[in-house]
Amino acid sequence: METIHTVAWMKQAAAEARRGDRILGFVPTMGALHEGHLSLVRAARKQCSPVAVSIFVNPKQFGPSEDLQRYPRTFEADRAALDALGVDYVFAPPPEEIYPAGFRTSVDVEGLGERLEGRTRPGHFRGVTTVVLKLFEIVQPRFSFFGRKDAQQVRILQQMTADLNLGTEIVVCPIVREADGLAMSSRNAYLNEDDRRAATALFRSLEAVRREVSRGECDGVRLLAELRRVLDAEPGVAPDYAEIVDADTFEPVRSLRKRCYILLAARVGSTRLIDNALIEPEGETFRVTV
Ligand code: AMP
């Protein structure tokens, strides 16, 4: 496994990696790797060879009052985990390599990023799209792997990729969860013991919705009431938003139809967590994947 810290070197290695009929796969991350990230790497390894993984804590996607400074950084352990999985390239540039002095350009996907995560975290998605566009340009992978955990992010990146003819295909992978259902996240490291217990309410609330849907409930108001009932029973959890949205437009829907997501963000202690479930039509009913 080759560890690369500069854009010039990564471009050269990626050009080499794409030669002939080889299929270059790419997994962008911010490090502090857990099984969620590693599931993306395994998916990439199944479908592609060689595989590149980036580790870059992107300052542009953190708001001024967010956790950029304390975001967990575990580079040596990350490298060992990626090496063990057979990754070919780790791209870990310092911030000034990605944003040299005088950097001025950003990319915005209109209309999909103003609500939900975008409302609570102004500028967040612009930071994500800008860095991912740069990474796509540097690596030019055939396939790129993202988690459904960040459903709005992946929808925005799919739009950017289509709009700008970026030539990489985005593969969306399932959410990997802890044994008690908590979606894996680098930010789970911030949770103390009480927070950690309370945090399972997010998963439990989505499961409650899944049960209601399997009983035939399709009304959005009633499904969200059920979700709120579970969340409100957990005093350690302060919901930020909970919505059922069309999977394509990310606009709220009144009742289940077509593909949609139930999206959820909440503060647990000082930590902000997100989670979601995918709702898909299945014959006359709907299947909910948590
Ligand atoms: P991050 O390091 O948080 O920027 O995440 C990098 C990639 O890993 C993104 O595509 C995330 O959606 C994905 N990811 C993070 N957590 C999970 C999880 N629990 N299951 C699946 N994918 C995840």
Side-chain angles (χ1 to χ4, degrees):
M1 187 173 77
E2 200 171 341
T3 303
I4 298 176
H5 298 290
T6 68
V7 169
W9 184 8
M10 187 65 236
K11 277 190 164 203
Q12 202 178 336
E16 190 65 36
R18 293 190 305 268
R19 279 243 180 91
D21 55 5
R22 287 189 295 170
I23 297 175
L24 177 56
F26 178 47
V27 183
T29 81
M30 299 205 299
L33 300 182
H34 49 66
E35 276 300 315
H37 298 113
L38 300 184
S39 75
L40 306 184
V41 174
R42 287 193 194 95
R45 286 270 292 147
K46 247 187 217 154
Q47 203 172 328
C48 308
S49 177
V51 168
V53 176
S54 64
I55 295 180
F56 181 62
V57 182
N58 174 33
K60 288 212 188 293
Q61 71 189 68
F62 287 77
S65 61
E66 291 185 4
D67 55 343
L68 174 63
Q69 294 313 321
R70 74 160 177 159
Y71 196 84
R73 288 162 171 88
T74 57
F75 186 61
E76 284 312 320
D78 292 351
R79 249 169 48 96
L82 296 175
D83 198 19
L85 287 183
V87 165
D88 301 276
Y89 306 97
V90 177
F91 181 41
E96 61 275 18
E97 187 66 20
I98 296 296
Y99 303 117
F103 185 91
R104 284 174 174 280
T105 305
S106 62
V107 53
D108 254 318
V109 174
E110 284 167 28
L112 288 169
E114 278 98 55
R115 300 181 57 255
L116 304 158
E117 283 303 283
R119 200 174 72 106
T120 311
R121 308 183 67 190
H124 169 69
F125 285 125
R126 178 186 302 144
V128 171
T129 46
T130 300
V131 81
V132 172
L133 176 58
K134 281 179 66 90
L135 291 169
F136 281 174
E137 279 302 301
I138 294 164
V139 178
Q140 297 182 32
R142 176 76 184 75
F143 294 96
S144 306
F145 297 79
F146 292 87
R148 198 197 81 213
K149 164 92 190 324
D150 300 277
Q152 192 179 8
Q153 163 176 291
V154 86
R155 175 67 190 87
I156 289 170
L157 293 174
Q158 281 168 328
Q159 188 70 40
M160 176 182 80
T161 303
D163 288 351
L164 302 182
N165 311 103
L166 296 183
T168 188
E169 193 171 316
I170 290 185
V171 180
V172 185
C173 300
I175 300 178
V176 177
R177 298 177 179 280
E178 301 285 356
D180 62 6
L182 177 65
M184 290 195 182
S185 163
S186 305
R187 290 191 168 95
N188 291 351
Y190 302 150
L191 302 171
N192 67 27
E193 216 175 296
D194 289 342
D195 295 340
R196 176 66 187 77
R197 242 189 322 269
T200 60
L202 278 73
F203 168 73
R204 288 187 278 114
S205 71
L206 294 172
E207 276 288 299
V209 170
R210 192 180 59 73
R211 279 194 298 275
E212 287 303 303
V213 173
S214 71
R215 288 193 192 113
E217 184 61 74
C218 289
D219 179 74
V221 174
R222 283 201 286 270
L223 291 172
L224 287 174
E226 176 62 9
L227 181 112
R228 285 284 181 168
R229 188 184 62 74
V230 176
L231 286 182
D232 292 345
E234 185 53 76
V237 172
D240 176 357
Y241 61 75
E243 282 193 30
I244 302 175
V245 302
D246 182 282
D248 190 45
T249 63
F250 272 70
E251 291 296 329
V253 296
R254 284 168 193 276
S255 64
L256 302 187
R257 59 184 180 98
K258 305 196 302 182
R259 276 175 99 244
C260 41
Y261 284 109
I262 180 153
L263 301 173
L264 164 58
R267 222 162 247 294
V268 183
S270 61
T271 308
R272 192 166 172 286
L273 300 176
I274 59 171
D275 204 343
N276 71 76
L278 173 63
I279 307 176
E280 295 169 291
E282 192 176 51
E284 296 295 284
T285 57
F286 290 88
R287 182 182 51 212
V288 179
T289 309
V290 178

